[in-house]
Every structure is written in C-alpha cells, then in structure tokens.
Amino acid sequence: MLEVQNTGMAELRIGDKTIELPMLEGAEHEGAIDIRALRKETGFITYDPGFVNTGCCKSDITYIDGEKGVLRYRGYDINDLAEKCEFVDVAYLLVHGTLPNKEQHDSFSAHLNNHSMLHEDMRHFFGSFPDHAHPMATLSAMAVSLSSFYPELEDTSKQENIDYKVTRLLSKMRTAAAFSYKKSIGHPIVQPRHDLKYCENFLNMMFSTPVNNYQVDPVVANALNKLLILHADHEQNCSASVIRMVGSADANLYASISAGICALWGPLHGGANQHVIEMLERILEDDRGDVKKVVARAKDKNDPFRLMGVGHRVYKSYDPRARVAKQMCKDVLDQLGVSDPLVDLAQELEAAVLADDYFQSRNLYPNIDFYTGLTYRAMGIPTNMFTVMFAIGRIPGWIAQWLEMKEDPHARIGRPRQIYTGPVHREVH
Ligand code: ACO
C-alpha cells in the first residue's frame, strides 16, 4: 500500500478557537481532511447524510475518477481487464493485489472446483422456500448459513487460508444461485462439474436438465465472464460499506457478505438492473413506448418516479462500466441473432436523457445497470436473477474490502454519531 501523503494543515475556526487538521493526499492526488481529532478537540461532529463527503478508510483496491469516468482495479483499467482477463483471475487480483501466474491460476481454479458442491443439508433448505421467493433472499440466507456449515478457517493470516475462504464463497454462492433458480421453476437441481470453467459451470447448472443436451454457448460464457468482471468491485459503495460495517463488529465473513447481498438487493443499488427491465416493459405496455412521457415524469418533483439505471453518486460523466456493457449488449444480441424491442427502447430513452437539460445539468448518465439487464436477458437469464448475477460478480470485491479492513491498523468498529432532534428530558407522571 502506498502511504497517504501529509500535504499540510487545514485550519478550522469555531468562535475564537482555531484548530489545525491534517490534509492528506492519496495515490491519484485526491485530497482529504483528517477530522479524527475533531470531536475531541471541539465537541463538534460532522453532519453528512449519505456519507457524501466522508472517507471511511484508506484503500488500495479500486480507484474511481467520477469526473473523468475512470475505474481501475489494483491499477488496471476496467476495459483492459474485461477485454483480456477471466473473471477468476480478476477475483484473484482483487483479493491478492496481483494477477495470478499460471501456477496460482491453476491452484485457485482447483480450489474453486473442490468447493463447488453444497452440503446436502444446505441443499434441503431450498425446498423450504416458497416458489415465489426472490433469489436474492435465498442467496443471502445461504451466505450466512455457510458460517454454520464451514465455521473453520477464521484465521486469514495464511495465504492458503484466504484462498480457501474466497473460493469457498465464490464457488458455493454460484452453486446456490443456480439452485435457487432451479427451485423457482420447479426443476431438479444440477450439480457443478469439474470439467467446466467457472462461468460455463454456472450456465450449465442454470440451463441443463435431465432431458436436454445443453451445450454452453461460448458467446454466452464470454459475455458472462465480462459482466462478472464489470461487477467485481466498486470501492466504498452501499454494499461494500455495509460489509465493512458488519465486519468491523468482528462478525464473520459469511455474515458480512450476507448483509452485503441484502444491501445490493435495493433498487437504488444493484437491484436497479431488474427494475430497469421492469420499467422498460411498463413503458412499452402502459405508455406504448412513449419515452417523452416517462422522461417528463422523472423530472417532475411531485412524482416519486425516477429513471432506473440512470444517475450515480460518484460518476458525473458516463459510467465506464455502462460504456462496456452497452457495446457488449449490441455484440451479444448480434452474435446470438436476438432482437429485443426493449433494447431499441433503451437506446431511445438514453438519447432523450443525454439531450435533456434536467439530466445534463445534474450530470446524470446511464449507469452499469442500464444495459447489463438487457444483456442478461439476451443470454436467457431470467429477470429476477439479474441482481444475483451482480452479487456473484461482486463477491471478490466484497471479500477484498473485508480482508483489507481486517488488516487495517486504523480500523475501528463502525459507529456514526447523530444530531438528536427528539424531546428533551421529561419525566413520567
Ligand atoms: N431520475 C431522475 N432524477 C434523478 C435520478 C434519476 N434516476 N437520479 C438522480 N436524480 C436527480 C435527483 O432528483 C436530484 O435532483 P435535485 O438536485 O433537483 O434534487 C439530483 O439528480 C441528484 O440526485 P441524488 O438523489 O441527490 O443523487 P444520489 O447520489 O443521492 O443518488 C442514485 C444516486 C441513488 C444512484 C440516483 O441517481 C438514483 O436513484 N438512480 C436510479 C437508481 C439506480 O439506477 N441505481 C443504480 C446505481 S448504480 C449501482 O448502485 C450499482
């Protein structure tokens, strides 16, 4: 990790008292003011709903420049990784900090295979969920259940133990995701296979049945690989922050990941990919594809409706993941010979957004979720599984964030303050 530079002192004047606060600079020159001594020295706290201005950690995993539309994992551009790497190598990169050599790749892949099955007793859980259960509910329950079935290896100091933890989660979550889909359609589950790679294995568990001769389409496997890479990390977003927060209380990794899955499910976060498709379907059915009407609704401050898949807390220019996802969506549809009226509608909606003053003045652009759902749809993945796909992709990033927090000597239990606005002291009479 590069040491954060001290670049001087900022002065804060409160009444007639002035205090000095250290100014810090990260590897890419982003500045920060270290306020750790603030309350002790002044009695004041900061007020920052949504943590818009609050840095909660120093991190060397992922870098985002929201103004320029840059995203890098461990220094590598997202486009470069999506173009040239396998998802499992990017998972390794996020957790270990370097891309694996051949030996490390083979060992990591062998671990993924060895951990791919679910304990038989866990398999029975699936039967207890109602058929209409959302797969994200099932997945988060399965993640925390792993802590009961595989409680060992809490010690993360040894590299081999880290790989056990990482591959166990990555591999078993993938199996659980496919099982939850099979359960939802009433089909028998399909077990993982050692002769298939990570993405192919998932597709086979999803789409193979006892009566078909399912062959994994390389176009679909390649697309899945890229999509999972796009999802793999995004620094201190809502779900990663939840994972750090839960982990800061010394809760185990599985419990922390389970909480992260729940956060990701929200429509303002990863759940947006499902909501984009549902929004486009509604526009087509209820509004006969009237994009102008929908854009007007999104701008109306008296209407709670928002365009799903548009806007981002950090990106004030085009989301670089959305750029890759948009191109991929076109390529996958072309290669599979699929035509989808929702894709045309999405493009029309995007053009209307980019040309509109309201969205321009607020720097609102399509985000990752705008085109990924359309690509999953072309690949045959059902809509209620989109956020599950996001979660599978994000697991390596979540683990990397959790491990980094555990090793950070400055990490403390997460415990924000508040400004109390309730009744002042009163007595019960
Ligand atoms: N449609 C219409 N207006 C929007 C939208 C939208 N999708 N997004 C933001 N705005 C407007 C807000 O109303 C606000 O306007 P104002 O300044 O007049 O009050 C302004 O843009 C700033 O928006 P905030 O809500 O303050 O931005 P914030 O950073 O808090 O929220 C968020 C970001 C949640 C992503 C928001 O843009 C949104 O709700 N988008 C739709 C949901 C979505 O696509 N989420 C996925 C994000 S990517 C991810 O998490 C994986």
Side-chain angles (χ1 to χ4, degrees):
M1 184 189 276
L2 275 173
E3 251 325 295
V4 167
Q5 301 295 314
N6 266 30
T7 54
M9 302 300 274
E11 284 188 355
L12 175 68
R13 204 167 62 240
I14 303 172
D16 55 5
K17 186 175 177 186
T18 301
I19 64 155
E20 290 197 322
L21 299 166
M23 290 162 70
L24 309 175
E25 192 176 274
E28 293 278 0
H29 310 297
E30 68 281 21
I33 298 173
D34 179 349
I35 59 156
R36 279 177 293 176
L38 181 69
R39 187 168 182 281
K40 202 163 148 204
E41 297 227 0
T42 69
F44 282 90
I45 60 166
T46 56
Y47 177 58
D48 188 22
F51 310 120
V52 178
N53 307 286
T54 299
C56 67
C57 61
K58 298 170 186 170
S59 177
D60 55 5
I61 301 170
T62 290
Y63 172 68
I64 301 175
D65 182 332
E67 273 68 37
K68 294 191 185 136
V70 171
L71 169 61
R72 296 188 197 125
Y73 302 156
R74 304 281 190 185
Y76 296 103
D77 273 324
I78 190 67
N79 316 41
D80 212 16
L81 292 169
E83 192 57 40
K84 298 176 188 157
C85 293
E86 283 184 36
F87 170 65
V88 293
D89 291 338
V90 172
Y92 187 99
L93 168 72
L94 284 166
V95 172
H96 290 291
T98 54
L99 283 164
N101 59 28
K102 166 98 177 59
E103 194 187 324
Q104 288 161 334
H105 169 92
D106 290 348
S107 156
F108 199 67
S109 300
H111 277 313
L112 283 170
N113 268 340
N114 292 339
H115 294 310
S116 57
M117 293 205 329
L118 280 187
H119 193 289
E120 269 302 279
D121 290 342
M122 270 190 88
R123 190 165 69 76
H124 295 310
F125 289 176
F126 289 89
S128 307
F129 281 89
D131 285 346
H132 61 264
H134 196 287
M136 283 297 274
T138 318
L139 196 70
S140 82
M142 291 301 157
V144 76
S145 304
L146 287 174
S147 61
S148 315
F149 286 89
Y150 307 97
E152 69 277 27
L153 292 179
E154 283 306 316
D155 173 17
T156 52
S157 57
K158 291 194 194 117
Q159 173 131 336
E160 179 148 354
N161 285 0
I162 292 176
D163 277 353
Y164 269 113
K165 257 186 184 334
V166 173
T167 52
R168 177 172 284 157
L169 260 161
L170 267 175
S171 206
K172 292 195 190 306
M173 285 290 94
R174 173 195 57 178
T175 304
F179 283 10
S180 70
Y181 170 62
K182 286 294 193 190
K183 157 73 187 163
S184 74
I185 57 169
H187 282 186
I189 55 130
V190 175
Q191 292 290 354
R193 279 171 34 186
H194 278 201
D195 59 323
L196 293 176
K197 294 170 98 172
Y198 189 85
C199 292
E200 284 83 345
N201 223 332
F202 175 74
L203 293 166
N204 189 62
M205 284 189 275
M206 285 282 289
F207 300 122
S208 176
T209 72
V211 293
N212 72 8
N213 181 23
Y214 177 74
Q215 299 293 321
V216 177
D217 185 331
V219 170
V220 176
N222 184 37
L224 179 57
N225 196 56
K226 278 193 168 55
L227 284 163
L228 296 186
I229 290 173
L230 293 186
H231 289 315
D233 193 50
H234 214 233
E235 50 118 307
Q236 309 313 318
N237 54 75
C238 179
S239 52
S241 303
V242 163
I243 280 169
R244 280 182 180 257
M245 178 70 90
V246 175
S248 78
D250 248 354
N252 66 59
L253 176 61
Y254 306 110
S256 308
I257 297 280
S258 172
I261 291 171
C262 294
L264 187 76
W265 190 5
L268 298 187
H269 192 13
N273 57 11
Q274 173 175 342
H275 287 261
V276 168
I277 297 296
E278 290 167 355
M279 172 187 76
L280 292 171
E281 283 172 342
R282 270 197 311 275
I283 299 173
L284 210 54
E285 281 162 27
D286 302 349
D287 298 320
R288 300 204 174 105
D290 188 348
V291 161
K292 278 194 193 135
K293 185 174 164 192
V294 175
V295 168
R297 272 194 71 194
K299 290 164 32 176
D300 180 355
K301 291 291 168 200
N302 297 316
D303 188 332
F305 173 76
R306 279 190 168 195
L307 288 180
M308 299 313 286
V310 172
H312 197 274
R313 170 63 60 78
V314 181
Y315 292 119
K316 300 303 164 202
S317 59
Y318 211 98
D319 181 338
R321 304 165 301 172
R323 209 181 285 289
V324 179
K326 182 179 179 182
Q327 186 56 48
M328 258 184 71
C329 181
K330 280 189 190 146
D331 294 347
V332 168
L333 264 82
D334 281 354
Q335 286 164 350
L336 296 177
V338 173
S339 81
D340 184 348
L342 293 193
V343 174
D344 301 332
L345 183 62
Q347 283 174 335
E348 203 187 322
L349 185 57
E350 180 189 351
V353 163
L354 295 180
D356 192 292
D357 266 0
Y358 172 96
F359 295 93
Q360 283 174 359
S361 62
R362 289 168 179 78
N363 296 314
L364 301 170
Y365 295 84
N367 59 49
I368 183 169
D369 294 319
F370 198 73
Y371 281 105
T372 48
L374 292 162
T375 316
Y376 284 131
R377 195 171 135 94
M379 291 157 63
I381 308 276
T383 310
N384 69 352
M385 285 291 287
F386 291 175
T387 316
V388 168
M389 307 308 298
F390 195 146
I392 295 174
R394 186 53 61 85
I395 286 171
W398 284 337
I399 298 173
Q401 299 285 344
W402 190 90
L403 288 172
E404 189 178 68
M405 192 246 331
K406 287 282 160 196
E407 286 159 13
D408 183 349
H410 300 294
R412 301 171 73 181
I413 185 166
R415 204 317 185 174
R417 295 275 181 160
Q418 63 167 12
I419 302 172
Y420 176 68
T421 56
V424 292
H425 181 240
R426 49 185 172 168
E427 283 173 11
V428 178
H429 294 292

